[in-house]
Amino acid sequence: MNFKLSTSLLALALSVSAANYKRVSCPGGTHTASNAACCVFFSLADELQATKFDSECGEDAHEALRLTFHDAIGFSFMGGPSKGTGADGSIMLFDSIELQDHANDGVEDAINSLKPLLQNFSVTAGDLIQFAGAVAVSNCPGAPRLQFLAGRPNATFPAAAGLVPVPEENIDNIFARMEDAGFSPTELVSLLASHSVGRSDLRILNRTGVPFDTTPFTFDTQFFLEVLLKGNETLPPAPGEADAQVPNALAAQGEMRLQSDFAVAHAPQSACFWQSMVNNEAAIQQGFHDAMAKLAVVGQDTSKLIDCSEAVPIPPPAVNKPATFPAGTGPQLLQLSCNAPFPSLATDPGAPTTIPECPNGDTNIGDCPS
Ligand code: HEM
Ligand SMILES: *[C@@H]1O[C@H](CO)[C@@H](O)[C@H](O)[C@H]1NC(C)=O
Ligand SMILES: *[C@@H]1O[C@H](CO)[C@@H](O)[C@H](O)[C@H]1NC(C)=O
Ligand SMILES: *[C@@H]1O[C@H](CO)[C@@H](O)[C@H](O)[C@H]1NC(C)=O
Ligand SMILES: *[C@@H]1O[C@H](CO)[C@@H](O)[C@H](O)[C@H]1NC(C)=O
């Protein structure tokens, strides 16, 4: 090889790698960033962890994660641009309008908690919502570290009503709505790993914090298993929104099962993918990471966004425990709509146990049902 050419190639390689390693110091001196535009997100992460989430996978973190979906899904290929511009902060900027949609019941908690941060941090509402969700789920053991791209413009008008799916909806309409925002049935399965850290505050009368699985503070595959357990039909649906629920095997311990989760678990388009998530922590991590990366930029021009994923905290590792049938249940309760072999799982010994109400036994009111 020509000597002159190879030295110039070497010089080029060195300057490229120097550019990669050059970081800017952020104001305040605590953080450095690959791009000055990311500095504000390091400070915002500190603020969220200290004053909103207590660095825990508790109620406030769950609500912030849910808000990412309710903002982003405000987009429709069929309806055209006037229906909404996706992950654009419209649910926060036009909350008095979007919250009239019953599907958004409950998201006001996260909006009221996060919105004041717009006064103190120079970020747009869409960036705030997606970043807060990424920081929130980083507190959940087993969660993937989500991608975060910065630079969504503020929404200039609200999303249309009717774009957020509701749990009582039939499965064809749910799939059609997701498809209209760019998501396949299996991508919906991946997104629903979020319900592994979810509880309902509104669907059951007089009860808050009604969990969707026995481990609502860890990002694990118990949710995918427990949704497949045949419900106890002798227990009537809990008073409240009967249509939103289907009977579940752990009602006596306070669990609930959303009609929509049940329907996705059994639909021909998604049943095998759902089953393949059981006891496959790596698969829910990868699937959720990729589907959330897509959700977070619905309607956005990603060529104009800057990668600030480095400001998202690194989540604690997964709890090192395979999925198990909760005590009092077992493989005899499995109701499967896919022919693939099902993993052989142990059953927790002893009598049915209660589902914890707060992460790490922390009775901080913000993390427990009120
Ligand atoms: C078919 C789609 C979906 C339906 C019908 C649905 C429905 C629901 C319902 C009814 C609740 C309980 C709300 C309450 O009573 O407080 C809930 C909670 C939740 N949802 Fe979904 N959801 C869907 C998809 C998603 C997706 C894609 C995400 C991803 C970010 C998500 C994240 C959450 C979280 C984190 C909670 C728990 C909130 C808390 O614990 O306070 N959901 N969902
Ligand atoms: C914003 O900054 C002001 C002035 O420093 C402070 O009083 C207020 O508590 C801050 N609010 C939030 C939400 O951090
Ligand atoms: C976005 O809207 C918020 C709330 O009104 C405001 O504080 C912020 O400055 C806006 N950002 C831009 C870039 O317009
Ligand atoms: C719910 O709470 C209200 C008010 O305290 C009470 O009147 C009602 O009986 C309760 N219903 C159920 C089903 O617990
Ligand atoms: C269903 O619930 C009832 C009432 O709690 C209980 O007696 C019964 O054993 C349960 N059946 C199954 C199959 O778990």
Side-chain angles (χ1 to χ4, degrees):
M1 194 198 253
N2 174 305
F3 176 74
K4 234 175 157 178
L5 180 62
S6 66
T7 46
S8 63
L9 274 178
L10 181 66
L12 180 67
L14 284 174
S15 74
V16 166
S17 75
N20 281 344
Y21 286 103
K22 199 161 125 207
R23 297 180 63 83
V24 297
S25 301
C26 294
T30 318
H31 301 293
T32 65
S34 60
N35 186 308
C38 299
C39 282
V40 66
F41 293 100
F42 283 97
S43 319
L44 183 54
D46 293 345
E47 175 78 10
L48 287 165
Q49 291 290 51
T51 71
K52 305 297 177 189
F53 305 144
D54 300 326
S55 299
E56 281 189 27
C57 182
E59 183 66 15
D60 301 306
H62 299 174
E63 288 173 355
L65 178 59
R66 182 175 181 229
L67 185 60
T68 65
F69 176 55
H70 288 239
D71 190 34
I73 204 67
F75 177 88
S76 169
F77 282 116
M78 284 193 302
S82 67
K83 289 272 186 175
T85 47
D88 58 3
S90 63
I91 202 167
M92 183 177 278
L93 296 169
F94 300 96
D95 48 349
S96 61
I97 298 169
E98 290 198 22
L99 289 173
Q100 288 171 23
D101 188 341
H102 151 76
N104 284 328
D105 288 359
V107 301
E108 63 274 13
D109 287 356
I111 291 175
N112 294 341
S113 164
L114 298 174
K115 200 173 179 177
L117 295 172
L118 288 176
Q119 306 305 314
N120 294 46
F121 293 86
S122 178
V123 298
T124 62
D127 281 1
L128 172 60
I129 289 172
Q130 296 305 324
F131 185 70
V135 174
V137 77
S138 84
N139 292 326
C140 304
R145 187 189 197 191
L146 296 186
Q147 181 180 66
F148 173 70
L149 307 182
R152 293 164 192 73
N154 272 343
T156 55
F157 59 94
L163 299 181
V164 181
V166 289
E168 50 273 35
E169 190 62 73
N170 82 56
I171 190 62
D172 292 334
N173 291 345
I174 289 176
F175 284 155
R177 176 75 278 274
M178 294 305 293
E179 188 78 52
D180 182 36
F183 295 88
S184 68
T186 54
E187 284 172 326
L188 176 57
V189 171
S190 291
L191 288 172
L192 285 172
S194 57
H195 284 182
S196 159
V197 290
R199 299 184 294 182
S200 168
D201 285 334
L202 296 164
R203 300 296 174 160
I204 295 192
L205 199 61
N206 295 354
R207 282 183 60 205
T208 58
V210 183
F212 299 147
D213 74 1
T214 50
T215 56
F217 310 112
T218 54
F219 190 89
D220 62 13
T221 77
Q222 282 300 131
F223 166 73
F224 290 98
L225 172 62
E226 293 172 26
V227 168
L228 292 173
L229 299 179
K230 187 171 160 37
N232 184 337
E233 306 281 347
T234 69
L235 293 173
E241 291 183 26
D243 297 352
Q245 319 165 50
V246 291
N248 83 91
L250 292 142
Q253 282 92 275
E255 192 165 306
M256 77 179 289
R257 191 160 62 147
L258 291 176
Q259 188 282 140
S260 48
D261 290 339
F262 172 82
V264 176
H266 291 285
Q269 298 94 320
S270 44
C272 285
F273 194 69
W274 184 286
Q275 261 177 237
S276 74
M277 296 297 117
V278 175
N279 203 32
N280 195 344
E281 182 72 26
I284 66 164
Q285 290 176 336
Q286 187 69 57
F288 186 67
H289 175 275
D290 295 352
M292 284 298 289
K294 208 170 149 180
L295 184 74
V297 297
V298 169
Q300 300 298 313
D301 178 354
T302 52
S303 72
K304 299 204 172 114
L305 304 182
I306 295 166
D307 192 339
C308 295
S309 307
E310 60 182 7
V312 177
I314 296 171
V319 178
N320 188 19
K321 172 187 174 299
T324 51
F325 293 101
T329 72
Q332 74 283 1
L333 293 183
L334 277 175
Q335 207 175 31
L336 304 179
S337 293
C338 170
N339 269 331
F342 198 80
S344 157
L345 304 173
T347 302
D348 292 335
T353 51
T354 52
I355 301 173
E357 296 212 327
C358 317
N360 308 318
D362 182 344
T363 51
N364 178 324
I365 193 72
D367 292 320
C368 304
S370 47

